[in-house]
Amino acid sequence: MPSYTAPTKDLQFVLHDLLQISTSDIPGYSDLESDFTTAILDEAAKLGQDVMAPLNASGDVEGCRLENGVVYTPKGFKQAFDQIREGGWNGLDLPEEFGGQNLPYVMGSAVGEIFVSANMALNMYQGLTHGAISAILAHGSEAQKATYLPKMVAMDWTGTMNLTEPHCGTDLGLMRTKAEPQADGSYKVTGQKIFISAGDHDMAENVIHLVLAKAPGGGEGTKGISLFIVPKFMVAEDGSLGARNGVSVGSIEEKMGIHANATCVMNYDGATGYLIGDLHKGMRAMFTMMNEARIGVGLQGYAQAVVAYENARIYAQDRLQGRDVTGAKNPEGPADPLIVHPDIRRMLMDQKSFVEGARAFTLWGASLIDRAHRMQDKDADGLISLLTPVIKGFLTDKGFDMCVQAQQVYGGHGYIEEWGMSQFARDARIAMIYEGANGIQALDLVGRKLAQDGGKHVMAFFEMVKTFIKENEGDARLEGFLVPLKSASKDLQAAGMYFMQHGMKSPNDALSGSTDFMHLFGHVCLGLVWARMAKAAYAALDGGASDRDFYEAKIATGRYYMARQLPATALHLARIQTGAETVMALDAAQF
């Protein structure tokens, strides 16, 4: 059985050494002293390690089941969910007026990593609820907020997002679900939605569905889509629950992974719904959920790699296989541990350098969200808007790759279910697909985000990298970070220039290179945060840090990333500059 120990020390390093949150000018950050964040992360670790993680493998095997219209979660899930509820974890970064604790989003993200690594499928029930809350906060009426948010923040009620239909996923303009207006101001919602994560379950009193549907008069395409609140049970004016609404579970999807999350086919048969936000402006309201969800899914991608790496490291240290070519390291035993072999080290260093870089990148992104929301900082909002498809797409692509590498460390045992490595790879795989498949993230990045506000935000990113290099180029210790970062940044700028020169006259030239660009951008982002982490680690060592081994390992891990991973930017640039000719060379019939 796999194990999980929360990386609280490294989370603290990112929060305090790298981001220096307690001295930040972002409102609420001054309260985040190290003792305070330690207490939060330690409690989250106890819940993750002792309650959630032990249910991960059993939940995968048992899955969810639908019996007589009722969805049942795996054994132990309801009791674990009760403990998450009782701890107030869902409301950690939500407004106090609705029962939350109003801590910054960066703390919710740090805790989120722990919970996802411990049990991704279980955490999704509260994760979807958090996204639904954010949409209601941003677009709901005061009455809707008062009706739904206190119960949802407390997780007495959970939430979902309903977009996809059997015939349309990305192309929501093809949607068929209808919403007919009623005399009392409500709507009757009719249609079918599929792939609805946490669509129904036995762990909460009510489920509040946010459903995209077309109301009369909206026209064709996405412009005609509106967003509706459709509760599983009707809610009376006093907040009590009434009759069952016209929404039911048609089936539970049989999936590759996340078996313990009830991914449902939802049938709406004249269900009573209430418009949220403006009529025919549902996409804008739904994207409040989608953008938050995309950051969360990027976190899922690397958080699965975190726990997979932890187990691969332990296995490599324990498993005896072969002898070190430079001389026996375990002469009293029949063989040396796997970890002595260079190719095993390569795989482990790939994983370690990725997950630590991804953690820093994601929490930096979370701090940008805090700056944007708590300070109305439009530059921070623009930058995180640019980086969101990179966080979602790059971190989930690479996170899955790292889960597969962790599985490879085990050799044949990695392919055997009892070791648990298969589950990490299977669970991580969905993160590349949902909340906008990664190809769509790449198209969004190249087609929309680069040119947003006249290219202001990508230019600000380039300037940020340039400034960091210039400010630190006098530190010889950082040369192994600054030189590769400068080269990689030039590759990213060259790719952007190629799109500017070719994209308008030949859009396929840009779109054919979009995934390569997303990965190129991702590598530069991890290169930047690794250079920043190296600087922070040297500062800690210069300051007499007691745990020198931790900081020296941090620097060595960063050097590995800069030397062995960051050069991938040149490959991605070379692919981008070939344009669309070879990609589009075949007629459809020739495939």
Side-chain angles (χ1 to χ4, degrees):
M1 290 288 290
S3 63
Y4 174 63
T5 301
T8 53
K9 185 176 182 64
D10 204 61
L11 285 163
Q12 288 286 72
F13 168 79
V14 174
L15 293 173
H16 295 285
D17 293 76
L18 176 65
L19 300 178
Q20 300 181 354
I21 55 174
S22 62
T23 60
S24 170
D25 60 342
I26 300 173
Y29 272 43
S30 61
D31 297 330
L32 302 179
E33 296 287 350
S34 180
D35 288 348
F36 181 55
T37 58
T38 295
I40 293 171
L41 294 177
D42 284 351
E43 286 302 310
K46 290 177 186 176
L47 184 59
Q49 293 164 185
D50 300 340
V51 178
M52 299 174 71
L55 297 171
N56 195 42
S58 61
D60 179 59
V61 172
E62 183 180 344
C64 297
R65 68 185 195 278
L66 176 64
E67 294 181 0
N68 300 318
V70 178
V71 175
Y72 294 96
T73 51
K75 183 180 179 181
F77 267 51
K78 191 174 191 303
Q79 291 75 18
F81 194 75
D82 286 342
Q83 291 192 49
I84 298 170
R85 177 192 290 121
E86 289 161 9
W89 290 104
N90 187 54
L92 193 70
D93 56 359
L94 293 171
E96 289 179 282
E97 64 180 299
F98 300 112
Q101 299 168 53
N102 203 38
L103 291 182
Y105 182 73
V106 72
M107 286 307 301
S109 297
V111 168
E113 181 199 312
I114 293 173
F115 289 171
V116 171
S117 291
N119 194 321
M120 177 170 158
L122 175 57
N123 187 67
M124 285 173 64
Y125 292 95
Q126 69 163 345
L128 271 297
T129 303
H130 196 287
I133 289 168
S134 295
I136 295 172
L137 274 171
H139 302 284
S141 67
E142 293 305 313
Q144 287 171 338
K145 293 176 188 178
T147 298
Y148 298 104
L149 292 186
K151 290 286 191 178
M152 294 177 73
V153 171
M155 281 203 310
D156 294 330
W157 303 348
T158 59
T160 71
M161 53 194 300
N162 286 238
L163 292 79
T164 308
E165 299 182 6
H167 57 284
C168 72
T170 300
D171 191 355
L172 291 174
L174 299 176
M175 186 177 299
R176 294 174 184 161
T177 299
K178 300 295 184 184
E180 294 293 335
Q182 305 298 300
D184 64 357
S186 67
Y187 287 77
K188 291 296 184 186
V189 177
T190 300
Q192 185 179 76
K193 299 289 184 176
I194 63 170
F195 305 159
I196 309 306
S197 300
D200 201 17
H201 54 88
D202 57 351
M203 301 187 297
E205 300 169 352
N206 203 3
V207 181
I208 308 304
H209 301 287
L210 296 191
V211 184
L212 286 179
K214 289 189 174 182
E220 296 299 316
T222 58
K223 294 180 181 179
I225 294 174
S226 302
L227 183 63
F228 299 90
I229 296 174
V230 184
K232 174 181 174 180
F233 289 100
M234 301 300 294
V235 181
E237 288 188 13
D238 64 359
S240 63
L241 298 184
R244 178 72 183 255
N245 203 356
V247 53
S248 61
V249 178
S251 62
I252 297 176
E253 305 282 9
E254 294 287 338
K255 309 184 298 294
M256 175 179 174
I258 54 168
H259 295 153
N261 192 270
T263 305
C264 299
V265 174
M266 302 300 301
N267 294 323
Y268 294 88
D269 300 304
T272 299
Y274 306 96
L275 180 69
I276 177 171
D278 296 329
L279 189 64
H280 309 314
K281 302 293 184 183
M283 292 301 296
R284 182 174 63 185
M286 183 58 83
F287 267 102
T288 300
M289 283 184 71
M290 290 287 286
N291 286 331
E292 177 182 314
R294 285 171 176 171
I295 299 290
V297 172
L299 186 150
Q300 286 181 334
Y302 89 78
Q304 287 299 287
V306 167
V307 65
Y309 161 69
E310 176 190 331
N311 285 274
R313 170 181 54 78
I314 294 170
Y315 186 82
Q317 290 170 331
D318 292 342
R319 174 77 167 175
L320 302 182
Q321 291 284 284
R323 288 294 187 190
D324 188 330
V325 295
T326 64
K329 295 297 187 289
N330 180 35
E332 302 303 317
D336 289 332
L338 277 173
I339 201 165
V340 305
H341 303 302
D343 199 55
I344 297 293
R345 290 288 189 101
R346 174 191 62 82
M347 289 190 283
L348 292 175
M349 287 297 284
D350 279 353
Q351 295 163 58
K352 180 175 171 63
S353 64
F354 167 74
V355 298
E356 292 181 15
R359 174 178 297 125
F361 182 26
T362 303
L363 294 183
W364 172 45
S367 73
L368 289 173
I369 290 175
D370 281 328
R371 182 171 292 279
H373 291 175
R374 290 174 174 243
M375 301 179 73
Q376 287 73 54
D377 187 324
K378 292 185 177 180
D379 289 336
D381 189 57
L383 182 57
I384 191 57
S385 179
L386 170 71
L387 296 178
T388 292
V390 183
I391 291 172
K392 196 282 183 186
F394 179 68
L395 296 191
T396 59
D397 276 352
K398 300 300 288 186
F400 174 73
D401 288 348
M402 294 304 108
C403 287
V404 172
Q405 280 215 29
Q407 190 180 28
Q408 187 73 15
V409 170
Y410 281 69
H413 289 296
Y415 204 64
I416 303 300
E417 289 291 347
E418 70 178 277
W419 288 91
M421 305 309 290
S422 166
Q423 184 187 354
F424 297 137
R426 288 185 287 102
D427 286 358
R429 185 64 183 87
I430 185 57
M432 301 163 69
I433 299 172
Y434 62 12
E435 309 306 342
N438 285 356
I440 300 300
Q441 302 302 315
L443 296 179
D444 177 48
L445 175 63
V446 170
R448 294 179 61 246
K449 299 299 176 61
L450 285 183
Q452 191 172 339
D453 296 329
K456 172 183 177 181
H457 306 298
V458 72
M459 296 306 296
F461 177 83
F462 289 139
E463 188 61 32
M464 183 186 303
V465 175
K466 180 180 177 182
T467 299
F468 179 84
I469 293 171
K470 188 172 183 179
E471 288 176 349
N472 294 283
E473 58 190 359
D475 190 340
R477 299 178 301 181
L478 291 176
E479 184 177 357
F481 291 86
L482 301 181
V483 172
L485 178 59
K486 186 174 184 178
S487 177
S489 180
K490 286 183 176 179
D491 288 342
L492 184 61
Q493 292 178 64
M497 185 62 66
Y498 177 85
F499 290 154
M500 287 180 61
Q501 293 172 344
H502 296 266
M504 290 297 291
K505 59 183 179 182
S506 179
N508 281 344
D509 279 341
L511 300 183
S512 295
S514 59
T515 291
D516 278 293
F517 185 83
M518 180 178 71
H519 278 247
L520 200 170
F521 207 153
H523 279 298
V524 174
C525 288
L526 261 62
L528 174 61
V529 295
W530 265 119
R532 288 173 169 173
M533 285 194 285
K535 180 179 179 179
Y538 278 122
L541 291 170
D542 293 344
S546 58
D547 192 354
R548 296 187 65 83
D549 186 61
F550 173 85
Y551 291 103
E552 289 170 354
K554 181 66 66 177
I555 293 164
T557 304
R559 286 187 180 279
Y560 178 90
Y561 192 88
M562 306 307 279
R564 299 282 299 219
Q565 294 297 317
L566 197 55
T569 59
L571 170 65
H572 291 301
L573 175 61
R575 288 172 172 170
I576 288 167
Q577 290 177 333
T578 64
E581 182 180 354
T582 56
V583 175
M584 307 300 290
L586 296 181
D587 291 332
Q590 291 178 293
F591 278 90

